[in-house]
């Protein structure tokens, strides 16, 4: 086995790290990705994981819940280790000051030096990226947009969480914890890999053209030249007062060749709507309706399994809104079981990244 | 003048994707997320200078050949 997972539900971070170290004993990890509940002190979690694996590239982030092969967890640490037979190369860069600076270009200079290939020339079938980003920074769009300008390789990632406290989220790299930052890892896996983007929504015919926004505040002032909240309420067929009750089951989405890129409303303020991600003027969005999260995810996993002729590891970035829906419907165990038998780690995110910054989506990397 | 927005969009898609159909889709989504939806522009579309400016900036940034 060239990819190995471990997890711990020990309540003390020192014991949790020791538990994971013991489970991975004898496994020569080149890279270790870990996701740790926000109940753990971030500085200690990062330092202890770095200390426990001194010859391994370690990175991770805080979460709003964790996923490990076959189970959805809370208050735990989950980890996935890759040995040399599964990974030809990896380079991790910390992007600091993401809200106002432009650390992406500098990171890609480092990737170019490491892999001896200009970012624009990197082969998407040979390299991939993992992005873990401060989930309260509001900077996801500018970071992923800049990454997309520089390279054609696919980046999958998640916004770090803090168990719905919305106080502080953290990313970790090589023994340190950071806020207002992102960790970007470029990997050269030894075997084939694939990406899964699954969301349990189908487009409805109602169109919402974004005609006025405050992009920095992720606020839609107008849809279809009408106040945003009124236009949304009309589209779902309810009143503005009742519209928030429809947010979970009727978000909006950019629909490209039938595939929705989900953008979730967060709240109504006056006549405008705040979203969990930024929207640009001129975007034509469709109202979406929810479908079966278990069936859709199962189908997406089966498609990836078939494409890769078997999966030896999955890293999953699962939107916290999906996790909440699963909890509300009593389906958390059923969802976790979809990943049984495949080494899997993941976490409940405050946003997902794949080409753009998304909501109510599960983005996964599947390794052959 | 008309059609130059579509020409610039096609330049970006063609030169960034190098014939890779999946990459063509990815480049189109990136453009949509930047507020420029390729399906909204045809050879008859008016040359909106604001949109053309954004596309030209991308072409310069990506070091593409604007002549196609």
């Amino acid at each position: 086995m060239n990819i190995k997972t471990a997890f711990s539900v020990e309540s003390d971070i020192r014991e949790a790290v020791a538990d994971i170290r013991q489970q991975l004993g004898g496994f020569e990890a080149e890279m270790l990705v870990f996701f740790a509940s926000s109940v753990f002190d971030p500085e200690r979690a990062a330092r202890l994981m770095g200390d426990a694996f001194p010859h391994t590239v370690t990175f991770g982030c805080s979460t709003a819940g964790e996923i490990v092969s076959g189970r959805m967890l809370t208050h735990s640490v989950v980890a996935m280790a890759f040995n040399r037979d599964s990974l030809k190369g990896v380079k991790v860069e910390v992007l600091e000051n993401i809200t106002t600076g432009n650390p992406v270009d500098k990171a890609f200079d480092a990737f170019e030096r490491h892999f001896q290939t200009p970012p624009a020339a990197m082969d998407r079938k040979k390299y991939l990226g993992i992005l873990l980003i401060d989930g309260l920074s509001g900077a996801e769009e500018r970071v992923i947009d800049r990454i997309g300008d520089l390279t054609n390789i696919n980046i999958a990632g998640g916004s770090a969480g803090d168990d719905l406290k919305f106080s502080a989220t953290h990313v970790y790299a090589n023994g340190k914890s950071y806020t207002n930052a992102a960790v970007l890892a470029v990997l050269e896996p030894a075997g084939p890999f694939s990406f899964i983007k699954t969301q349990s929504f189908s487009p409805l015919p109602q169109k919402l053209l974004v005609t006025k926004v405050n992009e920095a505040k992720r606020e839609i002032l107008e849809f279809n030249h009408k106040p945003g909240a009124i236009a949304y309420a009309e589209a779902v067929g309810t009143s503005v007062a009742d519209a928030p009750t429809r947010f979970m089951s009727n978000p909006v989405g950019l629909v490209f060749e039938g595939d929705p890129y989900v953008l979730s409303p967060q709240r109504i303020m006056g006549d405008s709507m705040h979203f969990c991600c930024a929207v640009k003027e001129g975007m034509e969005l469709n109202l979406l309706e929810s479908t079966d999260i278990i069936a859709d995810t199962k189908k997406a996993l089966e498609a990836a399994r078939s494409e890769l002729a078997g999966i030896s590891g999955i890293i999953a970035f699962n939107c916290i809104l999906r996790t909440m829906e699963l909890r509300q419907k009593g389906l958390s165990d059923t969802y976790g079981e979809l990943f049984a038998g495949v080494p899997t780690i993941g976490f409940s995110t405050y946003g997902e990244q794949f080409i753009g910054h998304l909501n109510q989506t599960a983005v996964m990397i599947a390794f052959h | 003048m008309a059609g130059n927005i579509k020409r610039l969009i096609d330049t970006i898609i063609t030169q960034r994707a190098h014939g890779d159909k999946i990459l063509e889709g990815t480049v189109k989504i990136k453009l949509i997320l930047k507020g420029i939806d390729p399906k909204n522009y045809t050879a008859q579309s008016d040359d909106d200078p604001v949109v053309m400016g954004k596309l030209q900036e991308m072409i310069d940034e990506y070091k593409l050949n604007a002549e196609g």
Side-chain angles (χ1 to χ4, degrees):
Chain A
M1 189 176 287
N2 298 318
I3 298 176
K4 196 168 178 185
T5 58
F7 75 98
S8 179
V9 292
E10 293 285 352
S11 58
D12 180 274
I13 187 62
R14 185 174 292 279
E15 289 174 16
V17 171
D19 191 5
I20 284 172
R21 183 78 193 92
Q22 191 270 330
Q23 291 174 52
L24 296 175
F27 187 82
E28 292 187 13
E30 288 290 306
M31 180 186 91
L32 184 133
V33 189
F34 70 100
F35 304 129
S37 166
S38 69
V39 296
F40 300 114
D41 176 77
E43 306 293 336
R44 288 189 78 208
R47 180 169 48 78
L48 290 168
M49 286 297 277
D51 289 349
F53 300 94
H55 307 297
T56 303
V57 173
T58 60
F59 63 96
C61 68
S62 61
T63 74
E66 304 77 47
I67 299 168
V68 75
S69 319
R71 293 177 69 180
M72 294 192 84
L73 302 170
T74 54
H75 302 173
S76 72
V77 182
V78 299
M80 178 173 275
F82 295 72
N83 70 9
R84 196 169 289 179
D85 290 330
S86 62
L87 194 64
K88 287 183 182 172
V90 58
K91 175 72 176 164
V92 173
E93 285 292 303
V94 178
L95 283 56
E96 294 191 79
N97 193 20
I98 52 175
T99 50
T100 54
N102 175 23
V104 177
D105 290 49
K106 191 177 155 200
F108 272 90
D109 288 343
F111 295 136
E112 180 170 354
R113 286 193 297 275
H114 183 82
F115 291 106
Q116 294 292 299
T117 307
M122 287 181 128
D123 183 349
R124 70 172 181 86
K125 293 175 186 166
K126 189 175 173 187
Y127 300 98
L128 65 90
I130 298 174
L131 179 69
L132 305 174
I133 184 164
D134 183 334
L136 298 177
S137 65
E140 290 97 331
E141 293 89 348
R142 66 196 305 268
V143 170
I144 193 78
D145 179 69
R146 186 61 192 152
I147 292 170
D149 283 342
L150 296 176
T151 186
N152 283 329
I153 67 169
N154 286 303
I155 308 288
S159 304
D162 68 348
D163 295 288
L164 296 171
K165 295 189 288 277
F166 301 107
S167 171
T169 64
H170 301 265
V171 295
Y172 310 131
N174 297 322
K176 290 185 179 172
S177 170
Y178 302 84
T179 57
N180 187 17
V183 169
L184 179 59
V186 172
L187 281 60
E188 184 183 1
F193 54 87
S194 182
F195 295 87
I196 299 167
K197 180 182 83 68
T198 179
Q199 58 290 308
S200 292
F201 295 100
S202 60
L204 290 167
Q206 292 95 318
K207 301 268 189 193
L208 291 162
L209 179 67
V210 181
T211 47
K212 194 172 182 185
V213 297
N214 183 337
E215 200 181 317
K217 289 187 174 176
R218 295 175 170 172
E219 181 182 15
I220 295 189
L221 302 168
E222 290 182 2
F223 281 125
N224 302 337
H225 301 287
K226 288 182 178 178
I230 292 171
Y232 173 83
E234 284 177 0
V236 295
T238 190
S239 64
V240 171
D242 285 341
T245 64
R246 305 289 289 275
F247 286 174
M248 282 281 271
S249 54
N250 293 113
V252 298
L254 273 171
V255 180
F256 180 75
E257 295 178 352
D259 186 29
Y261 288 71
V262 185
L263 316 171
S264 302
Q266 189 184 54
R267 65 186 189 278
I268 288 174
M269 292 279 282
D271 282 343
S272 67
M273 293 184 73
H274 286 258
F275 275 70
C276 300
C277 58
V279 181
K280 288 196 182 287
E281 274 180 19
M283 280 183 176
E284 187 183 74
L285 308 176
N286 277 71
L287 190 68
L288 305 176
E289 68 176 350
S290 61
T291 55
D292 186 333
I293 197 167
I294 299 293
D296 293 340
T297 309
K298 187 177 180 187
K299 190 175 165 190
L301 287 167
E302 283 170 356
R305 194 175 283 121
S306 173
E307 180 193 341
L308 291 172
I311 296 174
S312 62
I314 290 175
I315 301 177
F317 306 101
N318 191 59
C319 182
I320 182 62
L321 295 174
R322 284 168 61 93
T323 302
M324 289 166 67
E325 182 185 342
L326 290 164
R327 285 175 188 161
Q328 284 166 8
K329 292 179 176 173
L331 292 171
S332 298
D333 289 347
T334 309
Y335 188 79
E337 284 162 13
L338 296 176
F339 301 90
V342 179
T344 301
I345 65 161
F347 73 98
S348 296
T349 64
Y350 285 178
E352 306 74 60
Q353 289 82 47
F354 185 70
I355 306 177
H357 176 51
L358 313 172
N359 310 130
Q360 282 179 276
T361 298
V363 173
M364 305 179 216
I365 306 167
F367 299 91
H368 172 69
Chain B
M1 290 285 285
N4 276 310
I5 292 178
K6 177 171 168 45
R7 182 180 61 77
L8 294 173
I9 289 171
D10 288 346
T11 295
I12 291 170
I13 294 169
T14 304
Q15 294 187 30
R16 287 212 70 181
H18 302 291
D20 179 332
K21 292 293 174 195
I22 290 174
L23 261 185
E24 281 183 12
T26 302
V27 174
K28 284 179 188 173
I29 297 165
K30 286 179 183 177
L31 284 168
I32 295 169
L33 290 169
K34 287 175 183 290
I36 299 171
D37 190 338
K39 77 172 167 25
N40 291 343
Y41 298 96
T42 69
Q44 284 71 47
S45 300
D46 289 341
D47 290 348
D48 179 334
V50 175
V51 178
M52 286 184 63
K54 284 184 189 173
L55 291 165
Q56 190 59 54
E57 266 182 42
M58 288 180 223
I59 285 170
D60 295 343
E61 165 68 32
Y62 305 154
K63 298 183 175 62
L64 305 179
N65 177 3
E67 301 308 310

PDB file of all heavy atoms in Angstrom, chain A residues 54-68:
ATOM      1  N   PRO A  54       9.399  14.423  10.949  1.00  0.00           N
ATOM      2  CA  PRO A  54      10.419  15.429  10.623  1.00  0.00           C
ATOM      3  C   PRO A  54      10.997  15.311   9.206  1.00  0.00           C
ATOM      4  O   PRO A  54      11.535  16.284   8.690  1.00  0.00           O
ATOM      5  CB  PRO A  54      11.498  15.175  11.687  1.00  0.00           C
ATOM      6  CG  PRO A  54      11.283  13.769  12.127  1.00  0.00           C
ATOM      7  CD  PRO A  54       9.821  13.514  12.017  1.00  0.00           C
ATOM      8  N   HIS A  55      10.913  14.148   8.604  1.00  0.00           N
ATOM      9  CA  HIS A  55      11.489  13.971   7.265  1.00  0.00           C
ATOM     10  C   HIS A  55      10.411  13.941   6.184  1.00  0.00           C
ATOM     11  O   HIS A  55      10.644  13.478   5.073  1.00  0.00           O
ATOM     12  CB  HIS A  55      12.319  12.689   7.218  1.00  0.00           C
ATOM     13  CG  HIS A  55      13.342  12.628   8.317  1.00  0.00           C
ATOM     14  ND1 HIS A  55      14.371  13.553   8.409  1.00  0.00           N
ATOM     15  CD2 HIS A  55      13.472  11.807   9.386  1.00  0.00           C
ATOM     16  CE1 HIS A  55      15.095  13.276   9.486  1.00  0.00           C
ATOM     17  NE2 HIS A  55      14.572  12.227  10.096  1.00  0.00           N
ATOM     18  N   THR A  56       9.219  14.432   6.551  1.00  0.00           N
ATOM     19  CA  THR A  56       8.060  14.363   5.655  1.00  0.00           C
ATOM     20  C   THR A  56       7.521  15.763   5.407  1.00  0.00           C
ATOM     21  O   THR A  56       7.500  16.586   6.326  1.00  0.00           O
ATOM     22  CB  THR A  56       6.956  13.497   6.316  1.00  0.00           C
ATOM     23  OG1 THR A  56       7.502  12.218   6.600  1.00  0.00           O
ATOM     24  CG2 THR A  56       5.736  13.361   5.429  1.00  0.00           C
ATOM     25  N   VAL A  57       7.103  16.013   4.179  1.00  0.00           N
ATOM     26  CA  VAL A  57       6.413  17.271   3.885  1.00  0.00           C
ATOM     27  C   VAL A  57       5.024  17.167   4.491  1.00  0.00           C
ATOM     28  O   VAL A  57       4.237  16.298   4.106  1.00  0.00           O
ATOM     29  CB  VAL A  57       6.308  17.487   2.358  1.00  0.00           C
ATOM     30  CG1 VAL A  57       5.441  18.698   2.049  1.00  0.00           C
ATOM     31  CG2 VAL A  57       7.693  17.645   1.740  1.00  0.00           C
ATOM     32  N   THR A  58       4.725  18.011   5.484  1.00  0.00           N
ATOM     33  CA  THR A  58       3.413  17.948   6.129  1.00  0.00           C
ATOM     34  C   THR A  58       2.656  19.256   5.902  1.00  0.00           C
ATOM     35  O   THR A  58       3.236  20.341   5.975  1.00  0.00           O
ATOM     36  CB  THR A  58       3.523  17.720   7.654  1.00  0.00           C
ATOM     37  OG1 THR A  58       4.264  18.793   8.232  1.00  0.00           O
ATOM     38  CG2 THR A  58       4.175  16.394   7.983  1.00  0.00           C
ATOM     39  N   PHE A  59       1.391  19.119   5.610  1.00  0.00           N
ATOM     40  CA  PHE A  59       0.542  20.309   5.520  1.00  0.00           C
ATOM     41  C   PHE A  59      -0.903  19.919   5.791  1.00  0.00           C
ATOM     42  O   PHE A  59      -1.267  18.741   5.709  1.00  0.00           O
ATOM     43  CB  PHE A  59       0.679  21.021   4.168  1.00  0.00           C
ATOM     44  CG  PHE A  59       0.258  20.227   2.971  1.00  0.00           C
ATOM     45  CD1 PHE A  59      -1.015  20.361   2.433  1.00  0.00           C
ATOM     46  CD2 PHE A  59       1.131  19.331   2.366  1.00  0.00           C
ATOM     47  CE1 PHE A  59      -1.409  19.631   1.323  1.00  0.00           C
ATOM     48  CE2 PHE A  59       0.750  18.588   1.259  1.00  0.00           C
ATOM     49  CZ  PHE A  59      -0.523  18.733   0.730  1.00  0.00           C
ATOM     50  N   GLY A  60      -1.723  20.920   6.135  1.00  0.00           N
ATOM     51  CA  GLY A  60      -3.111  20.630   6.457  1.00  0.00           C
ATOM     52  C   GLY A  60      -3.860  21.886   6.828  1.00  0.00           C
ATOM     53  O   GLY A  60      -3.430  23.001   6.512  1.00  0.00           O
ATOM     54  N   CYS A  61      -4.976  21.693   7.527  1.00  0.00           N
ATOM     55  CA  CYS A  61      -5.765  22.854   7.938  1.00  0.00           C
ATOM     56  C   CYS A  61      -6.763  22.469   9.026  1.00  0.00           C
ATOM     57  O   CYS A  61      -6.955  21.290   9.313  1.00  0.00           O
ATOM     58  CB  CYS A  61      -6.492  23.464   6.742  1.00  0.00           C
ATOM     59  SG  CYS A  61      -7.784  22.440   6.056  1.00  0.00           S
ATOM     60  N   SER A  62      -7.380  23.487   9.597  1.00  0.00           N
ATOM     61  CA  SER A  62      -8.451  23.271  10.574  1.00  0.00           C
ATOM     62  C   SER A  62      -9.764  23.003   9.823  1.00  0.00           C
ATOM     63  O   SER A  62      -9.884  23.334   8.646  1.00  0.00           O
ATOM     64  CB  SER A  62      -8.584  24.481  11.500  1.00  0.00           C
ATOM     65  OG  SER A  62      -8.916  25.635  10.748  1.00  0.00           O
ATOM     66  N   THR A  63     -10.726  22.433  10.515  1.00  0.00           N
ATOM     67  CA  THR A  63     -11.912  21.916   9.828  1.00  0.00           C
ATOM     68  C   THR A  63     -13.221  22.272  10.547  1.00  0.00           C
ATOM     69  O   THR A  63     -13.218  22.794  11.660  1.00  0.00           O
ATOM     70  CB  THR A  63     -11.867  20.378   9.767  1.00  0.00           C
ATOM     71  OG1 THR A  63     -12.158  19.880  11.087  1.00  0.00           O
ATOM     72  CG2 THR A  63     -10.519  19.850   9.329  1.00  0.00           C
ATOM     73  N   ALA A  64     -14.295  21.901   9.868  1.00  0.00           N
ATOM     74  CA  ALA A  64     -15.624  21.949  10.495  1.00  0.00           C
ATOM     75  C   ALA A  64     -16.204  20.534  10.524  1.00  0.00           C
ATOM     76  O   ALA A  64     -17.404  20.336  10.356  1.00  0.00           O
ATOM     77  CB  ALA A  64     -16.526  22.892   9.723  1.00  0.00           C
ATOM     78  N   GLY A  65     -15.341  19.558  10.726  1.00  0.00           N
ATOM     79  CA  GLY A  65     -15.719  18.147  10.692  1.00  0.00           C
ATOM     80  C   GLY A  65     -14.764  17.421   9.764  1.00  0.00           C
ATOM     81  O   GLY A  65     -14.223  18.011   8.838  1.00  0.00           O
ATOM     82  N   GLU A  66     -14.549  16.148  10.037  1.00  0.00           N
ATOM     83  CA  GLU A  66     -13.551  15.393   9.280  1.00  0.00           C
ATOM     84  C   GLU A  66     -14.199  14.167   8.623  1.00  0.00           C
ATOM     85  O   GLU A  66     -15.257  13.713   9.049  1.00  0.00           O
ATOM     86  CB  GLU A  66     -12.411  14.926  10.213  1.00  0.00           C
ATOM     87  CG  GLU A  66     -11.735  16.053  10.976  1.00  0.00           C
ATOM     88  CD  GLU A  66     -12.556  16.541  12.164  1.00  0.00           C
ATOM     89  OE1 GLU A  66     -13.039  15.704  12.923  1.00  0.00           O
ATOM     90  OE2 GLU A  66     -12.740  17.766  12.306  1.00  0.00           O
ATOM     91  N   ILE A  67     -13.521  13.666   7.604  1.00  0.00           N
ATOM     92  CA  ILE A  67     -13.963  12.455   6.909  1.00  0.00           C
ATOM     93  C   ILE A  67     -12.772  11.505   6.860  1.00  0.00           C
ATOM     94  O   ILE A  67     -11.641  11.929   6.584  1.00  0.00           O
ATOM     95  CB  ILE A  67     -14.409  12.775   5.458  1.00  0.00           C
ATOM     96  CG1 ILE A  67     -15.588  13.759   5.457  1.00  0.00           C
ATOM     97  CG2 ILE A  67     -14.790  11.493   4.704  1.00  0.00           C
ATOM     98  CD1 ILE A  67     -15.895  14.335   4.083  1.00  0.00           C
ATOM     99  N   VAL A  68     -13.027  10.243   7.147  1.00  0.00           N
ATOM    100  CA  VAL A  68     -12.001   9.224   6.962  1.00  0.00           C
ATOM    101  C   VAL A  68     -12.703   7.989   6.399  1.00  0.00           C
ATOM    102  O   VAL A  68     -13.935   7.863   6.567  1.00  0.00           O
ATOM    103  CB  VAL A  68     -11.254   8.924   8.287  1.00  0.00           C
ATOM    104  CG1 VAL A  68     -12.106   8.090   9.233  1.00  0.00           C
ATOM    105  CG2 VAL A  68      -9.908   8.260   8.038  1.00  0.00           C
TER     106      VAL A  68
END
